[in-house]
Amino acid sequence: MTELLTERETTSASPNSLRVRYRIRFAKTDLLRWIGHTDLIRLWERIARRSQLPLSMSQGFHRRPRMAFPSALALGIVGLDEVAELELSENLSTEELYERLVADDQPGLAFTRVQKLGETEPKAQLDRSDYVVDVPAGVDVADAQASIERLKMQNIVTFERKKKTISTDIRAEIPMLEVDQSQLRFTLVARDAASIRPDDLLELLGLSDWPLKGATITRTRVHLRSDLVHATGGIASQQDSS
């Protein structure tokens, strides 16, 4: 569902110092899933220029747009509910910002929510993410289920990343893990230290060959530690209203 949230009251600072924060939910699909996080940031900057968005800039010698993403999406993973935060130097309505973004019509990028944030609302911090992985054709799901049961019987497991050993508390960091004939579904909890990633989990389950067999990994939802939504109304997309 595409949702556009109405704005809240924002700062009354002078136009020269105005910094209005927006939180944007978007989907990254199709061929766009094959660009890395750094290239995604550059793409957003180009979209902002094409859409004539008045981005607020950082101070200092190398000024950069005030733009942040609470969780980078790994190369090749589809994202249906990603989060970006940006600051503008003008107080645009959520409707106008949404319309400018959609009008850019970037293939593989769809905008699903625009929210204006109050001054006291914290920056987006990742709490957990939901994923699904398609079961490849010809795979015995019973074997995958057995691997899941064996993993759940353990308390702490370790995996290697960049020649470092990382430990994971299965129950705390993977609160949901299940499989059926069509999909493997799981939730990964973020932590301040290195967190387990989808490819780490597939490796622990002995299913690391699934992507090579044609399985697509999709992040279906990004949950924030404080995702405060203040809505007094909204407008639906053309698809929703049809």
Side-chain angles (χ1 to χ4, degrees), residues 51-62:
S51 304
Q52 298 182 328
L53 297 181
L55 291 174
S56 176
M57 305 297 289
S58 65
Q59 302 299 315
F61 188 75
H62 296 289

Side-chain angles (χ1 to χ4, degrees), residues 56-128:
S56 176
M57 305 297 289
S58 65
Q59 302 299 315
F61 188 75
H62 296 289
R63 302 181 68 206
R64 301 291 300 170
R66 288 192 169 99
M67 187 181 300
F69 299 81
S71 179
L73 193 64
L75 190 70
I77 297 181
V78 172
L80 301 182
D81 185 50
E82 299 303 295
V83 177
E85 286 194 350
L86 55 84
E87 294 186 10
L88 302 183
S89 59
E90 293 181 16
N91 191 353
L92 298 183
S93 69
T94 51
E95 289 86 354
E96 182 173 357
L97 177 53
Y98 175 80
E99 289 170 0
R100 291 195 193 186
L101 292 171
V102 170
D104 185 75
D105 198 24
Q106 170 64 47
L109 198 64
F111 302 97
T112 56
R113 175 183 290 178
V114 176
Q115 176 188 357
K116 186 179 289 187
L117 303 176
E119 286 185 325
T120 60
E121 294 184 52
K123 293 183 179 180
Q125 290 183 296
L126 180 65
D127 180 70
R128 65 193 188 280

Side-chain angles (χ1 to χ4, degrees), residues 32 42 183 192 198:
L32 203 61
R42 295 193 185 104
Q183 290 181 331
D192 294 334

Side-chain angles (χ1 to χ4, degrees), residues 9-26:
E9 292 296 323
T10 55
T11 178
S12 59
S14 64
N16 291 334
S17 60
L18 192 62
R19 291 170 56 181
V20 187
R21 294 173 54 218
Y22 298 83
R23 183 172 298 161
I24 301 167
R25 295 268 182 171
F26 66 97

